[in-house]
Amino acid sequence: METRQITVIQAAAILVSTIIGVGVLALPLFAVQAADSGAPLVTLLGVLLAFIGLVLITILGMRFPNQTFIQYSEAIIGKGIAWIGSACIILFFAVLTSLTAREFGEVVVTSVLRSTPVEVTVIVMLLLAAISTRNTILTFAYIHTFYFPLLLVPVLLIAALSLKNAEVINLLPVWGTEPKKMLKGMLTIAALFQGSFVLTAVIPAMKKPEKAMKASIWGLVIAGGLYVVIVGAAVSVFGAEEIKLLLWPTLELAKATSLPANILERLDAAFLAVWVTAVFTTLFSSYFLTIYFIGKLFRLREHKLFSYFILPIVFVMAMLPQNIVQMYKIIENVGRFGLYVTIIYPALLLIVSILRKKRGTHVADKKVDQNS
């Protein structure tokens, strides 16, 4: 038995630092490709779609406050079907981990360490995540809470300072030039929030799981708001057509931004330092969720066994894309598939649990059974 110690603030911090990750660099490009000047609007719609998925898994978690997603899915639809669904979720997050690591590697060798093989940067980040995941869910929460302000403040600062170069006309028309493409863009943006699924593992360790919805709302408002601000700042500074020519518009935004009195003429170096931290927290969450769910699926006491076991598998998957273009194509396709796993599947589980009147036991003793 392990004491419930994760607070609402810590749960919200986990959500924010998990969501804000590697995708923040290419985010304005994804949004502009879908909606041109309507990029901030399509980002907002994507955030709202992601919020629907987060609300579903939060309601499920509150119905079964003592169990993780793997455990209560078996209680709702039976072990056989639930096992297949759980295996799909584990596989999805393993692939997501590998793609996050590869994208990190590509950015680092392109922008900073040009003579370093991409394999080296990928394996270093994966190894760091594997070592960190050998801790309990409580330590996992403490690590995210520690990094939370280090991520939020600098990114907000860069977005705010960049607005001195902004041109409001670049944001018109607000709804963009091709409304038909907005749905595809919404799905792509929503896919960037799939790390929020980590909440399904966090709720059973919360002091007050009945307040999980409060953590969800705060987490998504902060992360979603930050994403909308970044896209709005990038489009207003560069314009939609210019962004289409940039691979990582957010990095270019940092380059074009300076501190007052020219204390720092370019903020890209500082931004990359913050971005590395953001990538680590995102990778840390998806890696942790993968091995934590494997442990629950096989009814094991500890998940540590798998931290190094899946490392070579994830590394090999990370190296499969031949180049950056193919990598981003795979990321888009995997992201859209993930929406079935992280939104449609939980929605079906919630409907079945309501129809079958399935509900977990009430939290009375503030304890969570890690072996159940």
Side-chain angles (χ1 to χ4, degrees), residues 134-193:
R134 293 179 64 81
N135 295 300
T136 64
I137 190 87
L138 301 179
T139 308
F140 171 80
Y142 294 146
I143 291 171
H144 275 289
T145 308
F146 174 77
Y147 283 120
F148 171 63
L150 300 178
L151 299 179
L152 199 61
V153 176
V155 178
L156 275 174
L157 185 67
I158 288 169
L161 289 172
S162 69
L163 292 176
K164 66 183 179 183
N165 303 318
E167 295 284 348
V168 179
I169 196 168
N170 288 333
L171 295 170
L172 300 173
V174 174
W175 50 85
T177 54
E178 292 188 70
K180 291 178 183 177
K181 291 169 67 177
M182 290 188 89
L183 178 60
K184 185 181 176 183
M186 280 173 56
L187 298 176
T188 303
I189 302 297
L192 296 174
F193 290 79

Side-chain angles (χ1 to χ4, degrees), residues 2-8 10 138 141-142 204-208 366 368:
E2 206 174 296
T3 311
R4 290 181 174 272
Q5 292 182 14
I6 297 177
T7 63
V8 172
Q10 285 176 319
L138 301 179
Y142 294 146
M206 286 182 69
K207 277 183 183 177
K208 297 178 178 178
K366 302 291 181 198
V368 55

Side-chain angles (χ1 to χ4, degrees), residues 263-318:
I263 298 168
L264 273 177
E265 286 189 11
R266 282 171 43 170
L267 296 179
D268 52 318
F271 176 75
L272 277 174
V274 173
W275 177 78
V276 168
T277 307
V279 174
F280 167 70
T281 53
T282 303
L283 195 70
F284 178 39
S285 286
S286 59
Y287 202 116
F288 183 86
L289 197 63
T290 303
I291 63 169
Y292 190 73
F293 276 1
I294 291 173
K296 292 298 178 186
L297 190 62
F298 292 105
R299 304 287 196 281
L300 299 178
R301 186 181 294 270
E302 294 282 352
H303 62 270
K304 294 177 186 178
L305 169 69
F306 298 102
S307 59
Y308 297 132
F309 177 76
I310 72 162
L311 182 62
I313 300 169
V314 173
F315 176 71
V316 169
M317 287 194 295

Side-chain angles (χ1 to χ4, degrees), residues 110-254:
T110 305
S111 306
V112 188
L113 308 172
R114 291 186 174 87
S115 301
T116 307
V118 68
E119 291 84 358
V120 174
T121 54
V122 169
I123 195 67
V124 166
M125 187 55 94
L126 284 175
L127 197 57
L128 187 62
I131 293 167
S132 303
T133 52
R134 293 179 64 81
N135 295 300
T136 64
I137 190 87
L138 301 179
T139 308
F140 171 80
Y142 294 146
I143 291 171
H144 275 289
T145 308
F146 174 77
Y147 283 120
F148 171 63
L150 300 178
L151 299 179
L152 199 61
V153 176
V155 178
L156 275 174
L157 185 67
I158 288 169
L161 289 172
S162 69
L163 292 176
K164 66 183 179 183
N165 303 318
E167 295 284 348
V168 179
I169 196 168
N170 288 333
L171 295 170
L172 300 173
V174 174
W175 50 85
T177 54
E178 292 188 70
K180 291 178 183 177
K181 291 169 67 177
M182 290 188 89
L183 178 60
K184 185 181 176 183
M186 280 173 56
L187 298 176
T188 303
I189 302 297
L192 296 174
F193 290 79
Q194 287 169 340
S196 59
F197 203 82
V198 73
L199 192 67
T200 59
V202 172
I203 289 175
M206 286 182 69
K207 277 183 183 177
K208 297 178 178 178
E210 66 275 9
K211 291 190 176 181
M213 189 61 76
K214 188 177 179 182
S216 298
I217 293 170
W218 274 111
L220 211 81
V221 165
I222 294 170
L226 190 66
Y227 271 12
V228 172
V229 167
I230 288 170
V231 172
V235 176
S236 62
V237 170
F238 297 120
E241 293 307 314
E242 179 68 23
I243 286 177
K244 289 177 184 177
L245 304 175
L246 304 173
L247 186 58
W248 296 307
T250 310
L251 186 57
E252 298 301 323
L253 189 68

